[in-house]
Amino acid sequence: MAADIKVTELAHELRKSIANIEVADGLESVGTVTKIGDGVAWIHGLRSAGFSEMLEIETKDGIVEAFALNLMEDEIGAVLLGTDVSVSAGDTVRLKGTVLEVPVGPELLGRVVDPLGRPLDGAGPIKTKQTGLVEREAIGVMGRKSVHEPLMTGIMSIDSMFPVGRGQRELIIGDRQTGKTAIAIDTMINQAKQKTGVVNVYVAIGQKLSKIARLVDRLKQEGVMDQTIIVATGPSDPASMLYLAPYAGTAMGEYFRDNKQHALMIYDDLTKHAVAYRQMSLLLRRPPGREAFPGDVFYLHSRLLERSAKLSDELGAGSLTALPIIETQAGDISAYIPTNVISITDGQIFMETDLFYQGIRPAISAGLSVSRVGGAAQTKAVKSVSGHLKLGLSQFRELASFAQFGSDLDEETKSQIERGQRLTELLKQVQYQPMSIWEQVASIYAVTNGLFDKVSVAKIKDAQVALLTRLWTENKDDMRTLEKGDKPSDDVLKLLHKVAVSAAKGFEE
Amino acid sequence: MAARLSRRKIAIFVTDKILASNHQAQQVLRELAAYLVTERRTRELDLIVRDIEAMLAAKGTVIADIASARPLDVAIRAEITAMLAAKSVQLRETIDETLLGGVRIDTPGKRFDGTIRHKLNALRAKQL
């Protein structure tokens, strides 16, 4: 007991002494703004500033925050987090003594915030108990576990051919207007519909504000907003905000990962992020490299995506899955940023413009898409029915173009083409309607086993709806069992077979 | 072409020269002026002066700018000199009535702001 009192007194005395010292030496380090423009301030003095440390610029209209990115012999280059209108040369700059942190926690769910965690939705202040570091080192090797749990996107072609696991980084890549964001939104909606408990963090990097507003409305309509955080930056925001957005969003997602939960990050899109970073780097006079991007543009994305991980059991087995989006120009995936991000991620879903305009939506290219780690995480039920789906579909696309030249094909090729046409038709899916596990299993089973071979291609979707309706109305319990994701029993397969055959009858040619 | 000398290196060189010449700085400053004109770096003059002041301060000679609302008396001047705790302290005083009261001390790279205006500003910022 006595020892306790002494320790308390010790701490008290120490605090008092520190306070006295602080009062006695009121001299604080200050620097001066020497140049300002394009959101970058050059500062003289502050030799003790650290990399990425926060600075406060005292202007006539109040404090403007900045962070130090260029530490040079004679000056510091700092990027402003706000407008540079009120900052002028000669303003005093102080060190804040901290690096950038953002509020994190469940209080952010359902909110639209900026990269500093300030609310943008007008729904009142956000009071979180914790803050998280915007720039944080990724978890080490021992803190990780291999990806083994599925993260269902609800999109049949992805879940069957390129499954995504919790903790995986799967790139969505394609030209403009090919449905990249739609896939990400459907995945978020599916998390709510299937009640997976996965928290969505959507990071909009330089997206049109009208697009973000539409997205928020849609998510509210679908009832997904309650488990979603939106980090929004628009095209008129400073480049520093666009640069910070994905890191800030990841800090918010990491809170759930580190608290034994699962989170899904969507970075829409990293092309704009790289462009914002290029702008900052050029203004900071860093030497330009390929396509004028700075030398560390690979590290920019690799350190971001490395934070997505499946944690080990000792660390609570939480996960952070990432779906980064990259926009290509005229389908060129060999440009600088696309190749970088392809090599960082664990696979990519490639969207093709041609497919999109042929009406094959989602316009996923079966040949160029891949999931490098998702196989181990695929739902067993879906895996059991979609074995050769990807190969069959790729072969079909090849054969289909080849078959245009002549009609005298052998029977096997013909049947392969016909099966492929039906599969392509089946994998078409309307936006905002993610499918549950049993729906996917039943649909794929019916087509890959040739049960819909006599149904005309145009009526495949109708036959599918008939099959699913009958299965749900007549065999609810079996479908609920199938929904659990385990490999379907022979009885269930027999049931699927029987119902599919009878459902197909109404649509045969 | 020779590499451009950093301001810091110039400041270190000039400071050493000034201190070695026992504070007879005229000759050193003339040389510096000639160098700046030749190198077309006269625009950096203010920053170089600041760097030299910072270097001097690091070596014990502090030049402090004191701003106050009213002229300082001897006792306060002595207190400020003691507070700066340097081998040699030179004070440059200015009177600025808009500070309302108190004193602001600027030494190279450091500042103590004990003016009423600063305190009022801080209070306003807190309320906002």
Side-chain angles (χ1 to χ4, degrees):
Chain A
M1 197 65 194
D4 277 351
I5 292 166
K6 271 182 193 166
V7 170
T8 325
E9 281 174 0
L10 190 74
H12 179 69
E13 284 301 317
L14 207 55
R15 278 204 191 92
K16 214 164 79 181
S17 308
I18 289 170
N20 282 340
I21 290 167
E22 279 173 350
V23 170
D25 184 8
L27 288 172
E28 51 180 349
S29 291
V30 288
T32 316
V33 175
T34 55
K35 272 179 284 179
I36 175 80
D38 297 315
V40 172
W42 295 92
I43 294 156
H44 178 268
L46 291 182
R47 297 194 63 81
S48 54
F51 179 71
S52 205
E53 188 171 344
M54 295 297 293
L55 309 173
E56 288 179 332
I57 304 176
E58 216 174 78
T59 71
K60 56 184 185 304
D61 298 330
I63 301 283
V64 174
E65 289 193 326
F67 59 106
L69 279 185
N70 266 23
L71 302 178
M72 298 188 300
E73 200 175 358
D74 282 339
E75 56 193 351
I76 294 174
V79 178
L80 303 187
L81 291 177
T83 170
D84 56 12
V85 175
S86 56
V87 182
S88 53
D91 283 347
T92 305
V93 188
R94 289 188 169 79
L95 285 177
K96 214 175 167 189
T98 56
V99 286
L100 197 57
E101 291 188 11
V102 286
V104 297
E107 297 85 356
L108 284 162
L109 290 173
R111 303 300 301 266
V112 183
V113 294
D114 74 358
L116 302 178
R118 296 178 298 209
L120 296 173
D121 51 7
I126 299 170
K127 283 181 187 145
T128 59
K129 294 188 190 88
Q130 283 186 44
T131 54
L133 287 173
V134 167
E135 286 278 1
R136 194 176 149 193
E137 234 175 89
I139 286 279
V141 178
M142 297 313 288
R144 291 175 190 248
K145 202 175 165 188
S146 63
V147 173
H148 66 96
E149 299 152 300
L151 184 122
M152 297 294 284
T153 62
I155 297 162
M156 205 161 32
S157 41
I158 297 179
D159 290 338
S160 58
M161 294 189 286
F162 324 106
V164 180
R166 293 186 182 179
Q168 190 178 343
R169 293 91 42 95
E170 181 82 0
L171 170 67
I172 303 173
I173 183 168
D175 280 6
R176 54 180 287 279
Q177 292 292 312
T178 49
K180 302 183 296 295
T181 307
I183 286 191
I185 296 173
D186 278 2
T187 308
M188 294 201 289
I189 292 174
N190 195 47
Q191 305 317 311
K193 281 212 170 141
Q194 311 302 330
K195 298 191 175 67
T196 57
V198 174
V199 169
N200 307 310
V201 183
Y202 179 86
V203 183
I205 306 163
Q207 294 290 329
K208 285 194 282 277
L209 293 181
S210 60
K211 185 182 167 184
I212 301 171
R214 271 206 309 275
L215 170 83
V216 173
D217 277 348
R218 190 78 216 188
L219 293 181
K220 275 184 186 157
Q221 262 177 46
E222 302 284 346
V224 190
M225 206 51 204
D226 298 339
Q227 59 184 76
T228 303
I229 303 170
I230 294 188
V231 182
T233 53
S236 61
D237 285 323
S240 56
M241 287 300 215
L242 271 62
Y243 161 75
L244 286 175
Y247 299 103
T250 308
M252 292 168 193
E254 276 174 338
Y255 170 85
F256 299 99
R257 181 196 73 185
D258 298 341
N259 284 288
K260 304 179 184 180
Q261 284 175 275
H262 303 279
L264 166 70
M265 299 296 312
I266 289 157
Y267 305 107
D268 195 358
D269 63 81
L270 289 188
T271 316
K272 289 200 185 72
H273 184 237
V275 169
Y277 186 58
R278 172 169 68 183
Q279 181 186 329
M280 274 170 47
S281 293
L282 292 175
L283 289 169
L284 285 166
R285 289 198 227 123
R286 291 180 180 177
R290 183 176 160 188
E291 290 175 30
F293 286 106
D296 62 344
V297 77
F298 185 90
Y299 180 57
L300 173 84
H301 290 146
S302 63
R303 73 172 191 268
L304 169 73
L305 292 168
E306 199 59 14
R307 286 161 74 174
S308 297
K310 168 72 191 165
L311 295 194
S312 65
D313 293 337
E314 290 78 39
L315 292 178
S319 75
L320 190 69
T321 312
L323 292 181
I325 294 177
I326 286 279
E327 187 180 295
T328 53
Q329 302 293 326
D332 180 16
I333 52 171
S334 61
Y336 191 21
I337 304 301
T339 43
N340 274 355
V341 184
I342 285 173
S343 75
I344 294 164
T345 49
D346 307 312
Q348 73 274 354
I349 294 167
F350 184 61
M351 316 293 291
E352 276 188 71
T353 317
D354 287 350
L355 293 179
F356 189 84
Y357 290 112
Q358 280 169 30
I360 302 170
R361 299 174 195 179
I364 297 169
S365 159
L368 288 173
S369 304
V370 67
S371 171
R372 292 192 198 113
V373 296
Q378 192 171 22
T379 313
K380 286 193 179 64
V382 180
K383 198 174 193 170
S384 68
V385 294
S386 60
H388 301 293
L389 202 60
K390 190 184 172 198
L391 189 66
L393 208 61
S394 315
Q395 280 175 347
F396 155 69
R397 297 248 163 95
E398 216 169 276
L399 282 175
S401 55
F402 164 68
Q404 285 172 347
F405 298 109
S407 55
D408 50 342
L409 297 166
D410 61 274
E411 281 307 310
E412 200 188 332
T413 313
K414 260 190 200 164
S415 73
Q416 236 177 346
I417 290 177
E418 290 203 348
R419 180 75 58 82
Q421 284 171 334
R422 282 170 180 76
L423 258 180
T424 308
E425 195 60 28
L426 180 86
L427 293 180
K428 286 183 186 172
Q429 202 171 327
V430 184
Q431 202 184 346
Y432 308 129
Q433 285 179 19
M435 293 172 82
S436 52
I437 298 171
W438 75 266
E439 288 173 324
Q440 295 190 20
V441 173
S443 307
I444 297 169
Y445 181 83
V447 174
T448 52
N449 285 285
L451 308 177
F452 280 5
D453 277 359
K454 285 181 184 154
V455 177
S456 70
V457 174
K459 286 185 180 165
I460 284 284
K461 275 299 187 195
D462 298 331
Q464 184 196 8
V465 172
L467 166 70
L468 296 180
T469 318
R470 284 186 61 175
L471 279 172
W472 187 246
T473 45
E474 293 164 18
N475 307 88
K476 230 172 249 175
D477 290 339
D478 288 321
M479 293 308 112
R480 283 206 179 107
T481 319
L482 196 54
E483 184 63 29
K484 285 179 187 151
D486 297 329
K487 194 177 172 188
S489 63
D490 289 343
D491 289 344
V492 173
L493 289 179
K494 268 182 203 156
L495 173 77
L496 288 181
H497 197 280
K498 196 182 87 189
V499 180
V501 168
S502 71
K505 283 220 168 81
F507 301 94
E508 282 172 8
E509 287 172 315
Chain B
M1 203 177 97
R4 190 174 177 275
L5 269 182
S6 70
R7 287 197 299 267
R8 186 173 142 80
K9 288 207 176 85
I10 297 173
I12 291 172
F13 178 77
V14 172
T15 311
D16 287 347
K17 280 267 190 180
I18 290 174
L19 293 178
S21 64
N22 202 15
H23 296 261
Q24 295 301 309
Q26 295 299 333
Q27 179 61 28
V28 183
L29 292 183
R30 267 200 295 273
E31 281 171 17
L32 174 62
Y35 172 78
L36 293 179
V37 170
T38 323
E39 293 289 316
R40 297 181 183 179
R41 291 179 68 173
T42 44
R43 277 199 303 184
E44 291 175 49
L45 185 67
D46 282 345
L47 297 176
I48 289 176
V49 169
R50 271 191 230 171
D51 282 329
I52 294 172
E53 284 182 356
M55 285 299 155
L56 282 171
K59 300 204 170 179
T61 306
V62 174
I63 301 156
D65 287 298
I66 316 289
S68 56
R70 258 165 275 158
L72 300 177
D73 58 34
V74 182
I76 292 180
R77 253 183 235 137
E79 257 181 57
I80 291 172
T81 311
M83 180 187 151
L84 294 173
K87 274 194 282 184
S88 142
V89 177
Q90 297 174 28
L91 302 182
R92 280 192 299 229
E93 290 177 35
T94 47
I95 305 293
D96 180 358
E97 283 178 3
T98 62
L99 296 178
L100 302 175
V103 63
R104 189 180 67 210
I105 307 166
D106 280 305
T107 65
K110 298 216 159 143
R111 167 178 282 187
F112 167 82
D113 202 337
T115 59
I116 307 262
R117 187 173 73 181
H118 175 73
K119 283 177 184 164
L120 287 174
N121 280 345
L123 206 62
R124 190 176 61 180
K126 253 185 204 170
Q127 278 178 341
L128 287 176

